[in-house]
Amino acid sequence: MTRLLAKRGVVILLFTSTFVLAVPSAHAIDLVVHASVVAKALKAQLFKDRGRYYLRRPDRCNDPYLENPTVSFKQGRVYVGAHFAGRIGALIAGVCQSATEPSAIMLSARPVLRSQEAILEDVRLERADKPMVAAALQNLIGADLLSRLHIDLLEAVRALTAPDKTAPYAIVVRALELSNLAVQNEELHVTVSGAVEIR
């Protein structure tokens, strides 16, 4: 008898859960994106040429690039640390004059939400260990330097609910809306609202 009541209680609980999650409500959940997610996306999308991200197309006198990216969040921005290497130079009297001075640099960017994707804009050079590198990078780093980075947050949520991850239950994402992308407590937070059904 106790076992029957326990089974009945589980069925009622699952039915209730399905109903509550399937009905859109005014409440939303907070999706937390860790720095490791952004670092993985940077490496996969930008730092993909032998681990390098070229700041301009390499030529006879120039091949400036960044490597070994790190990511952190603070003061409402995404901070990307990297190692600068390569050459910056020019042809002078037919001779290539270039300098190589490796340096640790720090960039920052503002995270924004565009069409359910997180992107970075308003990129700034925060610091470089070598003054000469800082001066040279001012001409190479623009506000859209990291604009090719796109993190599909909606797809990430759907991947979490894939059948192989939720068996023996099936989770159906009916509709999701992402909003309020912001840096809080050294984490990237996104508000997720919508309807999810458990079967």
Side-chain angles (χ1 to χ4, degrees):
M1 181 69 171
T2 306
R3 188 174 294 170
L4 181 61
L5 287 174
K7 282 185 178 178
R8 207 175 271 170
V10 169
V11 170
I12 291 170
L13 179 62
L14 283 174
F15 177 77
T16 306
S17 297
T18 302
F19 180 76
V20 170
L21 290 172
V23 177
S25 69
H27 300 290
I29 62 168
D30 185 30
L31 176 65
V32 178
V33 179
H34 290 276
S36 61
V37 172
V38 179
K40 287 174 189 173
L42 280 171
K43 289 173 184 175
Q45 296 176 32
L46 301 183
F47 291 76
K48 58 185 180 179
D49 187 349
R50 294 173 293 146
R52 299 174 176 177
Y53 176 43
Y54 285 90
L55 300 175
R56 63 178 287 180
R57 186 184 297 274
D59 60 32
R60 184 174 161 192
C61 299
N62 296 279
D63 65 347
Y65 61 87
L66 303 177
E67 59 187 357
N68 304 322
T70 61
V71 176
S72 59
F73 304 129
K74 61 182 177 180
Q75 299 168 342
R77 295 178 69 82
V78 176
Y79 283 74
V80 179
H83 178 258
F84 169 79
R87 298 170 299 142
I88 300 175
L91 278 174
I92 300 173
V95 178
C96 181
Q97 301 290 328
S98 61
T100 302
E101 194 170 358
S103 176
I105 70 163
M106 182 65 72
L107 305 170
S108 78
R110 184 165 46 91
V112 294
L113 205 54
R114 297 263 190 275
S115 302
Q116 310 303 323
E117 291 183 325
I119 65 169
L120 300 177
E121 61 181 27
D122 183 30
V123 177
R124 301 178 195 156
L125 175 65
E126 295 291 339
R127 71 173 186 274
D129 285 352
K130 309 276 175 61
M132 181 178 145
V133 170
L137 288 178
Q138 293 299 334
N139 295 325
L140 293 173
I141 293 176
D144 62 346
L145 177 73
L146 303 174
S147 64
R148 289 185 309 177
L149 176 74
H150 293 264
I151 301 173
D152 191 332
L153 297 171
L154 195 55
E155 184 57 37
V157 172
R158 287 206 163 107
L160 290 173
T161 61
D164 61 320
K165 295 198 186 321
T166 62
Y169 308 106
I171 298 179
V172 179
V173 178
R174 293 202 175 278
L176 286 181
E177 184 176 334
L178 307 178
S179 59
N180 303 326
L181 179 66
V183 173
Q184 301 169 358
N185 303 322
E186 298 185 9
E187 295 172 330
L188 193 59
H189 291 253
V190 185
T191 302
V192 181
S193 57
V196 177
E197 181 179 342
I198 299 176
R199 294 178 181 170

